[in-house]
Amino acid sequence: MSDIELHSNEDDRIVHGLRALYAAPAGDGYWNELEARIMARVADVELEWWSELDRWVRPAMAAAAVLILAAGVAMFRAHEVESEIAADNMLSSPTVPVATAVRPALQDDRDAVLRFLFGHK
Amino acid sequence: MDAAPVIDLPRPAPMSSPVEGGGAGGAKGRPDERALVIAAQRGNSDSFAALVRVHERRAYAVCRAIVVTHEDAEDAVQEGFLHAFKALDRFLPDQPFGAWLYRIMANASLDLVRRRKVRDADELPETLAMPFRDPGESDELRRRLTESLTKLTDRQRSVIVLHDVEGFTHGEIGGMLGIPEGTARSDLHHARAALRKMLKDVRSDL
């Protein structure tokens, strides 16, 4: 069936009847009211989100406080341990023998000088 | 709902909203739709209200073509806008908002139809038999047309209304109903043929 046939006068009458049956409500008042109803439902959804968020705020705050406290204690303990280790290291460090080392070559030279001097007295 | 639809023969209009693709300020001083969408995505409810204002009539027409009653169409429009609001952050503002929105409307309507599939067919004439105020038309045609529409499949009825009443293209209808364009074309052909056959004797009297 071609489109030319479909748009015969008889089909136009059916289309006209369909348009009448499916006519949208006229008047801005109706559409303003529908818009208001839609936006009221949207606001309800937004409110639900906030309520849901609000429901989680208290436990989340408590959990955050516990975490912060735990982190603080851990940091304090770590600092304390570091200080202890540093102090222990200072107190228990072995005494390093200070050897007055003289180079053998210098020693020999000095002896030779001394022998020379005392030998000529 | 108390608001009884009044005869207001709608002219088929293109699917795209007049504001779509408009530059800043839009044609006729309307705000750019893309800007409205972005603002709505950022939580500006006034912008979403503006989008509702621009699209509610067309959205209603899409829903009305798919559901059985005016009341269901209202419910579907509200559900559709609610879905759109919730899914707004997933919408890419560079896409045509109207096409995206009307697909959501169609889905909301199809969901409603599925939920109310068991509704008594007797309710259909009650709603479709709205006051037929065009004195040039026949009450007999209205009555028979209403009756004939109930004998079409849901999809055929949706397709013929979306095409012949609302002026959507086959491709647009396919996109909305989730069917290939060829199927929409075929449904339209069969719906028209069925209506012609069922209204043959009525039309000959007019």
Side-chain angles (χ1 to χ4, degrees):
Chain A
M1 202 164 295
S2 73
D3 277 351
I4 294 170
E5 277 181 289
L6 294 175
H7 288 97
S8 66
N9 284 340
E10 292 181 337
D11 286 314
D12 281 347
R13 194 166 273 279
I14 291 177
V15 170
H16 192 68
L18 282 172
R19 286 182 182 167
L21 285 176
Y22 283 89
D28 287 343
Y30 171 81
W31 297 106
N32 291 340
E33 195 220 331
L34 183 61
E35 180 198 329
R37 272 188 283 156
I38 290 165
M39 291 312 294
R41 291 192 64 181
V42 166
D44 283 348
V45 169
E46 283 179 319
L47 211 63
E48 279 170 25
W49 287 347
W50 282 111
S51 302
E52 189 68 15
L53 192 67
D54 195 43
R55 209 164 63 84
W56 285 100
V57 161
R58 205 178 290 269
M61 293 280 280
V66 167
L67 278 174
I68 289 169
L69 194 68
V73 167
M75 280 176 69
F76 178 76
R77 285 292 304 149
H79 182 72
E80 209 175 44
V81 167
E82 268 176 25
S83 301
E84 278 173 15
I85 290 170
D88 285 351
N89 284 344
M90 280 181 68
L91 293 173
S92 65
S93 59
T95 50
V96 179
V98 181
T100 49
V102 181
R103 285 195 328 186
L106 285 175
Q107 185 88 36
D108 292 347
D109 289 348
R110 196 166 54 179
D111 288 348
V113 171
L114 287 173
R115 270 199 305 271
F116 174 78
L117 288 175
F118 292 122
H120 287 83
K121 268 195 179 173
Chain B
M1 192 45 52
D2 294 331
V6 179
I7 297 304
D8 174 29
L9 296 181
R11 300 311 309 161
M15 187 170 182
S16 303
S17 154
V19 294
E20 269 174 16
K28 302 183 182 178
R30 278 180 174 169
D32 176 26
E33 183 161 88
R34 188 172 176 277
L36 286 175
V37 170
I38 291 170
Q41 284 176 325
R42 289 175 182 161
N44 185 328
S45 59
D46 287 345
S47 298
F48 190 75
L51 290 169
V52 170
R53 214 169 301 132
V54 168
H55 289 282
E56 64 181 342
R57 291 170 194 247
R58 203 86 172 113
Y60 170 87
V62 170
C63 295
R64 183 69 187 88
I66 296 169
V67 302
V68 176
T69 68
H70 164 74
E71 288 79 6
D72 281 355
E74 282 190 328
D75 288 347
V77 168
Q78 292 179 59
E79 283 298 317
F81 272 115
L82 221 53
H83 287 312
F85 178 75
K86 288 175 182 172
L88 202 57
D89 57 341
R90 295 198 295 274
F91 173 71
L92 301 173
D94 291 331
Q95 303 296 313
F97 181 73
W100 179 77
L101 179 69
Y102 302 145
R103 204 170 306 124
I104 290 176
M105 292 296 163
N107 284 333
S109 306
L110 291 168
D111 282 346
L112 202 75
V113 169
R114 276 191 283 270
R115 286 204 302 269
R116 299 190 178 170
K117 201 74 180 172
V118 290
R119 172 175 279 191
D120 190 346
D122 288 347
E123 291 183 34
L124 181 62
E126 185 191 326
T127 309
L128 287 177
M130 294 175 288
F132 203 83
R133 297 180 185 174
D134 185 343
E137 280 297 342
S138 156
D139 281 348
E140 176 67 2
L141 172 63
R142 175 182 56 80
R143 191 184 63 75
R144 292 286 298 279
L145 185 55
T146 300
E147 190 184 309
S148 303
L149 284 167
T150 66
K151 291 175 183 163
L152 299 181
T153 65
D154 289 341
R155 205 175 69 193
Q156 284 175 343
R157 193 179 63 248
S158 301
V159 169
I160 196 169
V161 175
L162 286 170
H163 188 276
D164 285 354
V165 179
E166 302 304 333
F168 287 107
T169 66
H170 299 104
E172 289 168 341
I173 294 167
M176 280 189 276
L177 300 181
I179 55 175
E181 183 178 337
T183 305
R185 198 180 292 274
S186 161
D187 279 345
L188 179 65
H189 171 81
H190 287 112
R192 280 172 168 170
L195 285 184
R196 262 195 224 100
K197 191 176 174 184
M198 288 185 274
L199 299 170
K200 192 177 176 182
D201 54 330
V202 177
R203 290 188 300 152
S204 65
D205 295 340
L206 296 174

